[in-house]
């Protein structure tokens, strides 16, 4: 089992910056991808940014040029640098990790996904 813990959320003014952190513990050796998702009230959970073990990054169109993801997948840590934040960035942000080499009870590999509990980011003036 992998446990993800986020930190760094809080209140920030429009145009300001915030840095989110996520640290994983448990069976982290085979995690291959980590990222950040966000979800507002009554909304679906959407990808913000992700990073693979080879460093490949993906971003939602709404945050390109403003947010930057970084991390060390081998250490199961990931960060989200949020710059020039907008009111619509207000959401709960969730850390996410994927392990494609989880071994189930039958000894077969399967992909497992893990989620943090979320950290609230509030953009307000």
């Amino acid at each position: 089992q992998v446990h993800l813990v986020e930190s760094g959320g809080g209140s920030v003014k429009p145009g300001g910056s915030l840095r989110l952190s996520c640290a994983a513990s448990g069976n982290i050796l085979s995690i291959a991808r980590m990222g950040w998702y966000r979800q507002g009230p009554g909304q679906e959970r959407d990808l913000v940014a992700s990073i693979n073990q080879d460093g490949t990054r993906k971003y939602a169109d709404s945050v390109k040029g403003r947010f930057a993801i970084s991390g060390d997948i081998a250490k199961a840590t990931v960060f989200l640098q949020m710059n020039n934040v907008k009111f619509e960035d207000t959401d709960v942000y969730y850390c996410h990790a994927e392990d494609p080499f989880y071994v189930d009870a039958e000894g077969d590999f399967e992909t497992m996904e893990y989620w943090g509990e979320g950290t609230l980011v509030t953009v307000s003036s």
Side-chain angles (χ1 to χ4, degrees):
Q1 184 68 29
V2 172
H3 302 277
L4 304 176
V5 179
E6 306 103 333
S7 63
S11 296
V12 61
K13 295 182 181 298
S17 296
L18 204 64
R19 190 175 193 243
L20 306 183
S21 300
C22 177
S25 62
N27 188 16
I28 65 171
L29 294 181
S30 55
I31 290 175
R33 178 185 175 96
M34 296 184 71
W36 293 92
Y37 290 70
R38 64 186 181 186
Q39 184 175 25
Q43 306 296 314
E44 66 180 15
R45 190 172 297 182
D46 295 322
L47 174 70
V48 177
S50 66
I51 182 170
N52 290 340
Q53 58 188 352
D54 65 356
T56 301
R57 294 165 168 82
K58 294 182 179 179
Y59 294 95
D61 289 340
S62 60
V63 306
K64 288 181 179 178
R66 299 190 297 118
F67 294 4
I69 190 170
S70 62
D72 186 338
I73 302 302
K75 296 181 179 179
T77 59
V78 66
F79 307 93
L80 184 68
Q81 180 65 44
M82 305 170 61
N83 296 322
N84 191 26
V85 298
K86 302 176 180 179
F87 178 79
E88 56 263 37
D89 294 322
T90 295
D91 273 315
V92 176
Y93 286 70
Y94 297 89
C95 185
H96 175 258
E98 293 183 359
D99 177 2
F101 299 107
Y102 176 81
V103 180
D104 63 19
E106 290 73 40
D108 299 319
F109 291 115
E110 66 179 70
T111 299
M112 292 294 293
E113 299 185 56
Y114 304 96
W115 295 94
E117 292 297 318
T119 185
L120 177 64
V121 172
T122 302
V123 182
S124 65
S125 60

